[in-house]
Amino acid sequence: MAFFDAAAMMKGLRGAYASGKTRSYEWRVSQLKALLKLMSFHEKEIVDALRSDLSKPELESFLQEIALLKESCGLALKELHRWMAPEKVKTMMTTFPSSAEIVPEPLGVVLVISAWNYPFLLSLDPVIGAIAAGNAVVLKPSEISPATSSVLAKLLGQYMDCSAVKVIEGAVPETTALLEQKWDKIFYTGNGKVARIVSAAAAKHLTPLVLELGGKSPVIVDSNVDLKVAARRIIAGKWGCNNGQACVSPDYAITTKEFAPDLIDTLRSELEKFYGKDPLKSNDLSRIVNSNHFNRLSKLLDDDKISGKIIHGGQKDIANLKIAPTILLDVPEDSLIMEEEIFGPLLPILTVNNVEDSFNIIKSKDKPLAAYLFTNNKKLKENFIRNISAGGLVINDTTMHLAVPTLPFGGVGESGMGAYHGKFSFDAFSHKKAVLLRSFAGDLSSRYPPYTPKKLNLLKALVNGSLFGILRALLGWHD
Amino acid sequence: MIFCKTKGGWTIHLDFLQLLTTPFKQGQIPLLFFPARAEVLPEPLGLVLILASWNFPISLALDPVIGAISAGNTVVLKPSELSPASSSFLANTVPRYLDSAALKVIEGGHDAAEQLLQQKWDKIFFTGSSRVGRIIMAAAANHLTPVTLELGGKCPTILDSLSISDLEVAIKRIVGGKWGLCSGQACIGIDYVLVEEKFASILVELLKKCIKAFFGDSMPNLKNLCRIVSKSHFDRVSNLLGDPRVAASIVHGGSWDEQNLMIEPTILLDPPLDADIMSEEIFGPLLPIITLNKIEESIEFINLRPKPLAIHAFTKNERFKKKLLSETSSGSITFNDAIVQFVADSLPFGGVGESGIGRYHGKYSFDTFSHEKAVLQRSFYLDLEPRYPPWNDFKLDFIKLAYKFDYLGLLLLLSGLRRIFKRSN
């Protein structure tokens, strides 16, 4: 890949932004409409690219990437007027007479660094927010999903205003060159290790960040549940999401010792219904993205500490980079598979005596991006919601919260900072400027020197809201 | 004023605490997910670090603490060592009134700050300079700790042509907003003034008169004025006048009392734009006046420089107001007054770009120390078969239609009639 001149590119983008064109409602609408067009006319190309990069089934490509993006774009187009409008706010006695409002404005020139697992969605969803908020934007898709990266570069180059919306393909050298520039915001989706590198680069320029990371998202399964539905939803959230390679996939499960056999049996039978007796041959499972990740996952399965714990699956097809849905039971806490985010089709199930004990396990680990609970027990549910901290929680399902545009999607602690989706995307790429309009009338001389005890008393009374105090001060009575 | 501001902040938080700690949003959910319930629940981040500044050492320490506590966090507060009496007051008094198991005051300088920054915090809130802001953010990056940085910058004041009565009010507000705020040592204090050349001399005269009325007429007689906080800041500010071109532009003041760390309110007329006084934040009692041919040029002037924490614009020209609003960027913009936006609790207080990250005051303080956790509750009923593999054309059609809320299409699909009426993609 030929090296590109990042500084020259920035100069051009700053010029485009300074011209004011990206701030106009018309420009933003034209770009959002162009994105919709691009997705509608080239759906097949996108699905093919996702199949090439990940063997992603067509339904996953449609539902989890294209449909979500079309929704996102459509919502932005529908709501943009409202999002761009200043918000009037109440003013207080202390600034009377005045009027105040909060005006959203673009940050300027922003950088979106995308990931490989949902390479289309995680590239364009933040870009939609950046454009809706009126910024110029550079997108750096992941090189680990090269077919999608290529399609993005080609299609955005064709449909978008290239003076203000650019795609830079590449790997570490290109990303490093980009990170040396001064951005008005950086939006990064990926892992904690690279996030620290991005954060350190951002700190040099005081660039604010959104970091969409991951973690070990647990799913707790209580005994008094519709087990068939619960099992299906766990499978859909794990293996039905890019074969477990999703930031919000259930990473591991926790259930009671008593209930575990039922859960495992149901998971097994539903897995067979979904993917057949030989899941390595199923067309409805994504493959592992590349041999690096395949080897990483193989290592987790080869760990001595978990030998004998694999109770379902474990088959691998190295030529096609496929790993079958695999379930493990009661792996030790210090095994490799329980130390890092799995990001693959392996589901460890831990068992506890009482379902409440699962909370301590979750709290002993870093705050995850998501946590799931299947239960009909109201008290347990309330306990879970109040006491488990995660980016987002779902009760009696998995992963669905990211499709609800009125919910902020983001992490906390190690799972990330900031949020997006829906209006939160617009907000993530905006500066909310405080505007106070004062009048020349009603100038309070007490605020100016020379300071006297009388002025001080009056101001104290005003701030305390005490009418009597105000009267006393005006009449010159002191304490 | 500062003390009262904090007191006001406390009252507001007590009133709203109940409201703030309950889930406050109901998400509107696509019918595909029916039945479901979505809400956003604010929760504390955990253990937070607040690093306060020396210029408003009580309010810039306690105001963030109010936010941190109302959001349910445990807090470590490190006041600035440059304001030792206030630091000592906080360290001695806070533990007597607050739960010292959950709120600690750590006194100290660079060493203490460095040690604190090596720990893993759930949030760091820093008020201070951009230079130190970068150091804080780099330390936070090691632990992926989110930060709020309340920094500064050169806050410009634009003075348009006004009637005499309005001008008199404007002058008072400018003088108050410059020297009445810790002798110019304030992040949102007026740094410099932009005015049309033809008004420069009347501006200087009126400023002189007002300074005399507020603070006294010469060095030995000055009152109602803060001193410079330390010898090193005193040297920094007085050195700004060391440049002979800058010294030549002084039209009022310019003298100082090194022993008492006092610098006289000083006005400069058109100091060179490449001098330090016009490239660094002054944070002191020197007021450069920069003249322009037309007041509209102030927009370009401001945009050539880093985004400031606050812009103050004294104008009654509605068109110019709109232009300023849409063509400049700053943490805040206040029309026809100075610094009073600091006490407007319904407005977010924070910077953008070089002037900072994040915001606080009022509910924004609560939010800045909270994590907004998304919660989606689903039922076991109405489980959608097409959601699950093995995939086929029927399921793909179903999902596509359901997603588009195309209920007629769904009905046709389910009744087997859709194939007859199938539209192309």
Side-chain angles (χ1 to χ4, degrees), chain A residues 90 105 107 196 204 385 388-389 393 395 397 431 436 438 447, chain B residues 43 134 142 307 325 329-330 333 335 337 346 373-374 376 387:
Chain A
K90 282 209 305 241
E105 53 179 35
L107 289 164
R196 281 165 164 80
K204 295 203 175 86
I385 291 173
I388 297 297
S389 183
L393 303 177
I395 310 292
D397 210 328
H431 166 55
L436 185 65
R438 290 265 293 156
R447 59 185 267 206
Chain B
E43 57 177 31
R134 282 170 163 80
N142 290 328
K307 295 176 185 179
L325 203 48
S329 183
S330 53
I333 181 164
F335 291 101
D337 210 330
S346 51
K373 183 166 72 181
L376 180 66
R387 205 182 134 176

PDB file of all heavy atoms in Angstrom, chain A residues 90 105 107 196 204 385 388-389 393 395 397 431 436 438 447, chain B residues 43 134 142 307 325 329-330 333 335 337 346 373-374 376 387:
ATOM      1  N   LYS A  90     -34.000  26.685  31.093  1.00  0.00           N
ATOM      2  CA  LYS A  90     -34.476  27.643  32.099  1.00  0.00           C
ATOM      3  C   LYS A  90     -33.309  28.456  32.622  1.00  0.00           C
ATOM      4  O   LYS A  90     -32.192  27.956  32.716  1.00  0.00           O
ATOM      5  CB  LYS A  90     -35.084  26.863  33.281  1.00  0.00           C
ATOM      6  CG  LYS A  90     -36.463  26.341  33.012  1.00  0.00           C
ATOM      7  CD  LYS A  90     -37.303  26.215  34.280  1.00  0.00           C
ATOM      8  CE  LYS A  90     -36.686  25.399  35.374  1.00  0.00           C
ATOM      9  NZ  LYS A  90     -37.514  24.240  35.713  1.00  0.00           N
ATOM     10  N   GLU A 105     -23.109  22.029  17.879  1.00  0.00           N
ATOM     11  CA  GLU A 105     -22.311  22.361  16.709  1.00  0.00           C
ATOM     12  C   GLU A 105     -21.336  21.226  16.439  1.00  0.00           C
ATOM     13  O   GLU A 105     -21.002  20.452  17.350  1.00  0.00           O
ATOM     14  CB  GLU A 105     -21.569  23.685  16.899  1.00  0.00           C
ATOM     15  CG  GLU A 105     -20.742  23.786  18.154  1.00  0.00           C
ATOM     16  CD  GLU A 105     -20.006  25.115  18.274  1.00  0.00           C
ATOM     17  OE1 GLU A 105     -20.547  26.150  17.855  1.00  0.00           O
ATOM     18  OE2 GLU A 105     -18.876  25.080  18.791  1.00  0.00           O
ATOM     19  N   LEU A 107     -17.879  19.149  15.790  1.00  0.00           N
ATOM     20  CA  LEU A 107     -16.582  19.284  16.432  1.00  0.00           C
ATOM     21  C   LEU A 107     -15.531  19.726  15.409  1.00  0.00           C
ATOM     22  O   LEU A 107     -14.610  20.461  15.731  1.00  0.00           O
ATOM     23  CB  LEU A 107     -16.178  17.960  17.090  1.00  0.00           C
ATOM     24  CG  LEU A 107     -17.017  17.647  18.326  1.00  0.00           C
ATOM     25  CD1 LEU A 107     -16.886  16.187  18.724  1.00  0.00           C
ATOM     26  CD2 LEU A 107     -16.597  18.525  19.489  1.00  0.00           C
ATOM     27  N   ARG A 196      -5.697   1.716  24.230  1.00  0.00           N
ATOM     28  CA  ARG A 196      -4.740   2.473  25.042  1.00  0.00           C
ATOM     29  C   ARG A 196      -3.778   3.246  24.141  1.00  0.00           C
ATOM     30  O   ARG A 196      -3.380   4.380  24.455  1.00  0.00           O
ATOM     31  CB  ARG A 196      -3.969   1.528  25.977  1.00  0.00           C
ATOM     32  CG  ARG A 196      -4.761   1.120  27.199  1.00  0.00           C
ATOM     33  CD  ARG A 196      -4.172  -0.070  27.919  1.00  0.00           C
ATOM     34  NE  ARG A 196      -4.707  -0.227  29.258  1.00  0.00           N
ATOM     35  CZ  ARG A 196      -5.870  -0.766  29.564  1.00  0.00           C
ATOM     36  NH1 ARG A 196      -6.659  -1.215  28.590  1.00  0.00           N
ATOM     37  NH2 ARG A 196      -6.290  -0.863  30.819  1.00  0.00           N
ATOM     38  N   LYS A 204      -2.201  13.644  23.363  1.00  0.00           N
ATOM     39  CA  LYS A 204      -1.233  14.662  22.922  1.00  0.00           C
ATOM     40  C   LYS A 204      -1.952  15.901  22.387  1.00  0.00           C
ATOM     41  O   LYS A 204      -1.422  17.007  22.429  1.00  0.00           O
ATOM     42  CB  LYS A 204      -0.332  14.101  21.825  1.00  0.00           C
ATOM     43  CG  LYS A 204       0.552  12.966  22.279  1.00  0.00           C
ATOM     44  CD  LYS A 204       1.784  12.831  21.362  1.00  0.00           C
ATOM     45  CE  LYS A 204       2.739  11.784  21.886  1.00  0.00           C
ATOM     46  NZ  LYS A 204       2.419  10.414  21.458  1.00  0.00           N
ATOM     47  N   ILE A 385     -30.270  -5.705  37.944  1.00  0.00           N
ATOM     48  CA  ILE A 385     -30.265  -4.403  37.291  1.00  0.00           C
ATOM     49  C   ILE A 385     -29.557  -3.362  38.151  1.00  0.00           C
ATOM     50  O   ILE A 385     -28.796  -2.534  37.675  1.00  0.00           O
ATOM     51  CB  ILE A 385     -31.708  -3.960  36.964  1.00  0.00           C
ATOM     52  CG1 ILE A 385     -32.292  -4.837  35.864  1.00  0.00           C
ATOM     53  CG2 ILE A 385     -31.751  -2.499  36.501  1.00  0.00           C
ATOM     54  CD1 ILE A 385     -33.767  -4.591  35.579  1.00  0.00           C
ATOM     55  N   ILE A 388     -25.381  -4.984  38.982  1.00  0.00           N
ATOM     56  CA  ILE A 388     -24.384  -5.389  37.994  1.00  0.00           C
ATOM     57  C   ILE A 388     -24.113  -4.207  37.076  1.00  0.00           C
ATOM     58  O   ILE A 388     -25.024  -3.680  36.429  1.00  0.00           O
ATOM     59  CB  ILE A 388     -24.872  -6.608  37.180  1.00  0.00           C
ATOM     60  CG1 ILE A 388     -25.062  -7.817  38.107  1.00  0.00           C
ATOM     61  CG2 ILE A 388     -23.884  -6.936  36.068  1.00  0.00           C
ATOM     62  CD1 ILE A 388     -23.787  -8.307  38.784  1.00  0.00           C
ATOM     63  N   SER A 389     -22.852  -3.795  37.039  1.00  0.00           N
ATOM     64  CA  SER A 389     -22.502  -2.682  36.167  1.00  0.00           C
ATOM     65  C   SER A 389     -21.934  -3.208  34.857  1.00  0.00           C
ATOM     66  O   SER A 389     -21.065  -4.078  34.841  1.00  0.00           O
ATOM     67  CB  SER A 389     -21.471  -1.783  36.842  1.00  0.00           C
ATOM     68  OG  SER A 389     -21.193  -0.675  36.014  1.00  0.00           O
ATOM     69  N   LEU A 393     -27.598  -3.884  29.849  1.00  0.00           N
ATOM     70  CA  LEU A 393     -28.121  -5.142  30.385  1.00  0.00           C
ATOM     71  C   LEU A 393     -29.331  -5.568  29.564  1.00  0.00           C
ATOM     72  O   LEU A 393     -30.107  -4.721  29.128  1.00  0.00           O
ATOM     73  CB  LEU A 393     -28.590  -4.967  31.836  1.00  0.00           C
ATOM     74  CG  LEU A 393     -27.600  -4.446  32.864  1.00  0.00           C
ATOM     75  CD1 LEU A 393     -28.288  -4.291  34.217  1.00  0.00           C
ATOM     76  CD2 LEU A 393     -26.419  -5.381  32.996  1.00  0.00           C
ATOM     77  N   ILE A 395     -32.549  -8.411  29.901  1.00  0.00           N
ATOM     78  CA  ILE A 395     -33.215  -9.469  30.665  1.00  0.00           C
ATOM     79  C   ILE A 395     -33.970 -10.342  29.692  1.00  0.00           C
ATOM     80  O   ILE A 395     -34.719  -9.831  28.853  1.00  0.00           O
ATOM     81  CB  ILE A 395     -34.224  -8.858  31.672  1.00  0.00           C
ATOM     82  CG1 ILE A 395     -33.579  -7.757  32.495  1.00  0.00           C
ATOM     83  CG2 ILE A 395     -34.838  -9.935  32.554  1.00  0.00           C
ATOM     84  CD1 ILE A 395     -32.543  -8.200  33.454  1.00  0.00           C
ATOM     85  N   ASP A 397     -33.077 -12.028  27.118  1.00  0.00           N
ATOM     86  CA  ASP A 397     -32.648 -12.082  25.732  1.00  0.00           C
ATOM     87  C   ASP A 397     -31.170 -11.726  25.703  1.00  0.00           C
ATOM     88  O   ASP A 397     -30.556 -11.462  26.732  1.00  0.00           O
ATOM     89  CB  ASP A 397     -33.451 -11.113  24.855  1.00  0.00           C
ATOM     90  CG  ASP A 397     -33.593 -11.613  23.416  1.00  0.00           C
ATOM     91  OD1 ASP A 397     -32.674 -12.305  22.902  1.00  0.00           O
ATOM     92  OD2 ASP A 397     -34.630 -11.329  22.792  1.00  0.00           O
ATOM     93  N   HIS A 431     -20.477  19.322  19.749  1.00  0.00           N
ATOM     94  CA  HIS A 431     -20.191  20.096  20.952  1.00  0.00           C
ATOM     95  C   HIS A 431     -21.467  20.843  21.285  1.00  0.00           C
ATOM     96  O   HIS A 431     -22.052  21.498  20.428  1.00  0.00           O
ATOM     97  CB  HIS A 431     -19.048  21.079  20.717  1.00  0.00           C
ATOM     98  CG  HIS A 431     -18.934  22.118  21.804  1.00  0.00           C
ATOM     99  ND1 HIS A 431     -18.799  21.790  23.140  1.00  0.00           N
ATOM    100  CD2 HIS A 431     -18.981  23.471  21.772  1.00  0.00           C
ATOM    101  CE1 HIS A 431     -18.758  22.881  23.865  1.00  0.00           C
ATOM    102  NE2 HIS A 431     -18.862  23.921  23.070  1.00  0.00           N
ATOM    103  N   LEU A 436     -25.664  32.193  26.542  1.00  0.00           N
ATOM    104  CA  LEU A 436     -26.411  33.011  27.505  1.00  0.00           C
ATOM    105  C   LEU A 436     -26.583  34.405  26.918  1.00  0.00           C
ATOM    106  O   LEU A 436     -25.608  35.041  26.515  1.00  0.00           O
ATOM    107  CB  LEU A 436     -25.647  33.088  28.834  1.00  0.00           C
ATOM    108  CG  LEU A 436     -26.353  33.798  29.982  1.00  0.00           C
ATOM    109  CD1 LEU A 436     -27.606  33.036  30.398  1.00  0.00           C
ATOM    110  CD2 LEU A 436     -25.412  33.933  31.176  1.00  0.00           C
ATOM    111  N   ARG A 438     -27.783  38.075  27.710  1.00  0.00           N
ATOM    112  CA  ARG A 438     -28.123  38.979  28.799  1.00  0.00           C
ATOM    113  C   ARG A 438     -28.563  40.318  28.249  1.00  0.00           C
ATOM    114  O   ARG A 438     -28.255  40.681  27.118  1.00  0.00           O
ATOM    115  CB  ARG A 438     -26.895  39.168  29.691  1.00  0.00           C
ATOM    116  CG  ARG A 438     -26.565  37.926  30.479  1.00  0.00           C
ATOM    117  CD  ARG A 438     -27.165  37.965  31.842  1.00  0.00           C
ATOM    118  NE  ARG A 438     -26.536  39.020  32.634  1.00  0.00           N
ATOM    119  CZ  ARG A 438     -27.131  39.600  33.673  1.00  0.00           C
ATOM    120  NH1 ARG A 438     -28.344  39.272  34.024  1.00  0.00           N
ATOM    121  NH2 ARG A 438     -26.498  40.520  34.337  1.00  0.00           N
ATOM    122  N   ARG A 447     -22.731  43.618  42.265  1.00  0.00           N
ATOM    123  CA  ARG A 447     -21.726  42.661  41.837  1.00  0.00           C
ATOM    124  C   ARG A 447     -20.374  43.307  41.604  1.00  0.00           C
ATOM    125  O   ARG A 447     -19.377  42.621  41.399  1.00  0.00           O
ATOM    126  CB  ARG A 447     -22.188  41.887  40.608  1.00  0.00           C
ATOM    127  CG  ARG A 447     -22.509  42.738  39.408  1.00  0.00           C
ATOM    128  CD  ARG A 447     -23.086  41.903  38.277  1.00  0.00           C
ATOM    129  NE  ARG A 447     -22.041  41.457  37.365  1.00  0.00           N
ATOM    130  CZ  ARG A 447     -22.258  41.165  36.101  1.00  0.00           C
ATOM    131  NH1 ARG A 447     -23.481  41.261  35.588  1.00  0.00           N
ATOM    132  NH2 ARG A 447     -21.271  40.762  35.319  1.00  0.00           N
TER     133      ARG A 447
ATOM    134  N   GLU B  43     -25.840   5.084  36.994  1.00  0.00           N
ATOM    135  CA  GLU B  43     -25.189   4.460  38.131  1.00  0.00           C
ATOM    136  C   GLU B  43     -23.818   5.105  38.352  1.00  0.00           C
ATOM    137  O   GLU B  43     -23.241   5.687  37.425  1.00  0.00           O
ATOM    138  CB  GLU B  43     -25.045   2.942  37.939  1.00  0.00           C
ATOM    139  CG  GLU B  43     -24.309   2.525  36.703  1.00  0.00           C
ATOM    140  CD  GLU B  43     -24.122   1.024  36.585  1.00  0.00           C
ATOM    141  OE1 GLU B  43     -24.978   0.257  37.066  1.00  0.00           O
ATOM    142  OE2 GLU B  43     -23.096   0.632  35.999  1.00  0.00           O
ATOM    143  N   ARG B 134      -2.840  17.532  29.307  1.00  0.00           N
ATOM    144  CA  ARG B 134      -2.283  16.490  28.448  1.00  0.00           C
ATOM    145  C   ARG B 134      -1.622  15.397  29.280  1.00  0.00           C
ATOM    146  O   ARG B 134      -1.728  14.205  28.985  1.00  0.00           O
ATOM    147  CB  ARG B 134      -1.240  17.086  27.490  1.00  0.00           C
ATOM    148  CG  ARG B 134      -1.836  17.819  26.316  1.00  0.00           C
ATOM    149  CD  ARG B 134      -0.765  18.586  25.537  1.00  0.00           C
ATOM    150  NE  ARG B 134      -1.251  18.950  24.225  1.00  0.00           N
ATOM    151  CZ  ARG B 134      -2.051  19.976  23.969  1.00  0.00           C
ATOM    152  NH1 ARG B 134      -2.446  20.759  24.946  1.00  0.00           N
ATOM    153  NH2 ARG B 134      -2.457  20.222  22.723  1.00  0.00           N
ATOM    154  N   ASN B 142      -3.609   4.994  30.250  1.00  0.00           N
ATOM    155  CA  ASN B 142      -3.078   3.688  30.656  1.00  0.00           C
ATOM    156  C   ASN B 142      -4.152   2.781  31.229  1.00  0.00           C
ATOM    157  O   ASN B 142      -4.034   1.558  31.178  1.00  0.00           O
ATOM    158  CB  ASN B 142      -1.993   3.854  31.731  1.00  0.00           C
ATOM    159  CG  ASN B 142      -0.740   4.475  31.158  1.00  0.00           C
ATOM    160  OD1 ASN B 142      -0.429   4.253  29.988  1.00  0.00           O
ATOM    161  ND2 ASN B 142      -0.035   5.258  31.949  1.00  0.00           N
ATOM    162  N   LYS B 307      -9.834  26.986  20.049  1.00  0.00           N
ATOM    163  CA  LYS B 307     -11.187  27.262  20.543  1.00  0.00           C
ATOM    164  C   LYS B 307     -11.119  27.644  22.032  1.00  0.00           C
ATOM    165  O   LYS B 307     -10.585  26.884  22.841  1.00  0.00           O
ATOM    166  CB  LYS B 307     -12.068  26.013  20.374  1.00  0.00           C
ATOM    167  CG  LYS B 307     -12.290  25.625  18.932  1.00  0.00           C
ATOM    168  CD  LYS B 307     -13.085  24.317  18.810  1.00  0.00           C
ATOM    169  CE  LYS B 307     -13.195  23.882  17.358  1.00  0.00           C
ATOM    170  NZ  LYS B 307     -13.927  22.623  17.201  1.00  0.00           N
ATOM    171  N   LEU B 325     -22.545  33.207  16.563  1.00  0.00           N
ATOM    172  CA  LEU B 325     -23.043  31.936  17.099  1.00  0.00           C
ATOM    173  C   LEU B 325     -22.729  30.784  16.156  1.00  0.00           C
ATOM    174  O   LEU B 325     -22.283  29.721  16.566  1.00  0.00           O
ATOM    175  CB  LEU B 325     -24.558  32.069  17.292  1.00  0.00           C
ATOM    176  CG  LEU B 325     -25.238  31.150  18.278  1.00  0.00           C
ATOM    177  CD1 LEU B 325     -24.500  31.117  19.588  1.00  0.00           C
ATOM    178  CD2 LEU B 325     -26.661  31.635  18.519  1.00  0.00           C
ATOM    179  N   SER B 329     -16.544  28.735  17.419  1.00  0.00           N
ATOM    180  CA  SER B 329     -16.785  27.624  18.346  1.00  0.00           C
ATOM    181  C   SER B 329     -16.073  27.904  19.655  1.00  0.00           C
ATOM    182  O   SER B 329     -14.920  28.357  19.670  1.00  0.00           O
ATOM    183  CB  SER B 329     -16.278  26.315  17.749  1.00  0.00           C
ATOM    184  OG  SER B 329     -16.590  25.251  18.632  1.00  0.00           O
ATOM    185  N   SER B 330     -16.746  27.655  20.750  1.00  0.00           N
ATOM    186  CA  SER B 330     -16.160  27.886  22.066  1.00  0.00           C
ATOM    187  C   SER B 330     -16.949  27.050  23.056  1.00  0.00           C
ATOM    188  O   SER B 330     -18.012  26.537  22.730  1.00  0.00           O
ATOM    189  CB  SER B 330     -16.261  29.368  22.452  1.00  0.00           C
ATOM    190  OG  SER B 330     -17.608  29.815  22.326  1.00  0.00           O
ATOM    191  N   ILE B 333     -20.799  30.839  24.853  1.00  0.00           N
ATOM    192  CA  ILE B 333     -20.775  32.210  24.352  1.00  0.00           C
ATOM    193  C   ILE B 333     -21.818  33.002  25.125  1.00  0.00           C
ATOM    194  O   ILE B 333     -22.945  32.538  25.323  1.00  0.00           O
ATOM    195  CB  ILE B 333     -20.958  32.266  22.823  1.00  0.00           C
ATOM    196  CG1 ILE B 333     -20.916  33.708  22.323  1.00  0.00           C
ATOM    197  CG2 ILE B 333     -22.209  31.575  22.370  1.00  0.00           C
ATOM    198  CD1 ILE B 333     -20.698  33.804  20.818  1.00  0.00           C
ATOM    199  N   PHE B 335     -23.673  36.764  25.567  1.00  0.00           N
ATOM    200  CA  PHE B 335     -23.899  38.060  24.936  1.00  0.00           C
ATOM    201  C   PHE B 335     -24.189  39.105  25.996  1.00  0.00           C
ATOM    202  O   PHE B 335     -25.045  38.927  26.853  1.00  0.00           O
ATOM    203  CB  PHE B 335     -25.052  37.973  23.935  1.00  0.00           C
ATOM    204  CG  PHE B 335     -24.709  37.158  22.721  1.00  0.00           C
ATOM    205  CD1 PHE B 335     -25.144  35.855  22.585  1.00  0.00           C
ATOM    206  CD2 PHE B 335     -23.909  37.701  21.708  1.00  0.00           C
ATOM    207  CE1 PHE B 335     -24.802  35.088  21.473  1.00  0.00           C
ATOM    208  CE2 PHE B 335     -23.558  36.949  20.600  1.00  0.00           C
ATOM    209  CZ  PHE B 335     -24.003  35.641  20.476  1.00  0.00           C
ATOM    210  N   ASP B 337     -22.545  40.238  28.519  1.00  0.00           N
ATOM    211  CA  ASP B 337     -22.080  40.141  29.897  1.00  0.00           C
ATOM    212  C   ASP B 337     -20.823  39.278  29.890  1.00  0.00           C
ATOM    213  O   ASP B 337     -20.409  38.774  28.852  1.00  0.00           O
ATOM    214  CB  ASP B 337     -23.150  39.522  30.805  1.00  0.00           C
ATOM    215  CG  ASP B 337     -23.050  40.040  32.236  1.00  0.00           C
ATOM    216  OD1 ASP B 337     -21.921  40.392  32.686  1.00  0.00           O
ATOM    217  OD2 ASP B 337     -24.069  40.106  32.920  1.00  0.00           O
ATOM    218  N   SER B 346     -28.346  25.668  34.557  1.00  0.00           N
ATOM    219  CA  SER B 346     -29.031  24.875  33.544  1.00  0.00           C
ATOM    220  C   SER B 346     -28.198  24.787  32.277  1.00  0.00           C
ATOM    221  O   SER B 346     -28.542  24.078  31.329  1.00  0.00           O
ATOM    222  CB  SER B 346     -30.385  25.498  33.229  1.00  0.00           C
ATOM    223  OG  SER B 346     -30.201  26.869  32.951  1.00  0.00           O
ATOM    224  N   LYS B 373     -26.510   3.377  32.101  1.00  0.00           N
ATOM    225  CA  LYS B 373     -26.573   1.963  31.735  1.00  0.00           C
ATOM    226  C   LYS B 373     -27.870   1.691  30.982  1.00  0.00           C
ATOM    227  O   LYS B 373     -28.955   1.985  31.472  1.00  0.00           O
ATOM    228  CB  LYS B 373     -26.497   1.123  33.011  1.00  0.00           C
ATOM    229  CG  LYS B 373     -26.477  -0.371  32.790  1.00  0.00           C
ATOM    230  CD  LYS B 373     -26.068  -1.095  34.067  1.00  0.00           C
ATOM    231  CE  LYS B 373     -27.169  -1.058  35.117  1.00  0.00           C
ATOM    232  NZ  LYS B 373     -26.728  -1.750  36.360  1.00  0.00           N
ATOM    233  N   ALA B 374     -27.741   1.091  29.805  1.00  0.00           N
ATOM    234  CA  ALA B 374     -28.930   0.737  29.023  1.00  0.00           C
ATOM    235  C   ALA B 374     -29.504  -0.567  29.565  1.00  0.00           C
ATOM    236  O   ALA B 374     -28.756  -1.509  29.837  1.00  0.00           O
ATOM    237  CB  ALA B 374     -28.546   0.559  27.552  1.00  0.00           C
ATOM    238  N   LEU B 376     -32.575  -3.404  28.767  1.00  0.00           N
ATOM    239  CA  LEU B 376     -33.678  -3.878  27.912  1.00  0.00           C
ATOM    240  C   LEU B 376     -34.284  -5.112  28.551  1.00  0.00           C
ATOM    241  O   LEU B 376     -33.566  -6.055  28.891  1.00  0.00           O
ATOM    242  CB  LEU B 376     -33.144  -4.212  26.509  1.00  0.00           C
ATOM    243  CG  LEU B 376     -34.177  -4.724  25.507  1.00  0.00           C
ATOM    244  CD1 LEU B 376     -35.192  -3.635  25.169  1.00  0.00           C
ATOM    245  CD2 LEU B 376     -33.486  -5.179  24.210  1.00  0.00           C
ATOM    246  N   ARG B 387     -36.225 -15.674  13.549  1.00  0.00           N
ATOM    247  CA  ARG B 387     -34.985 -15.109  14.048  1.00  0.00           C
ATOM    248  C   ARG B 387     -33.855 -16.126  14.046  1.00  0.00           C
ATOM    249  O   ARG B 387     -32.678 -15.780  14.128  1.00  0.00           O
ATOM    250  CB  ARG B 387     -35.278 -14.682  15.501  1.00  0.00           C
ATOM    251  CG  ARG B 387     -34.428 -13.606  16.042  1.00  0.00           C
ATOM    252  CD  ARG B 387     -34.833 -13.372  17.473  1.00  0.00           C
ATOM    253  NE  ARG B 387     -33.634 -13.298  18.278  1.00  0.00           N
ATOM    254  CZ  ARG B 387     -33.626 -13.033  19.562  1.00  0.00           C
ATOM    255  NH1 ARG B 387     -34.776 -12.830  20.194  1.00  0.00           N
ATOM    256  NH2 ARG B 387     -32.501 -12.986  20.225  1.00  0.00           N
TER     257      ARG B 387
END
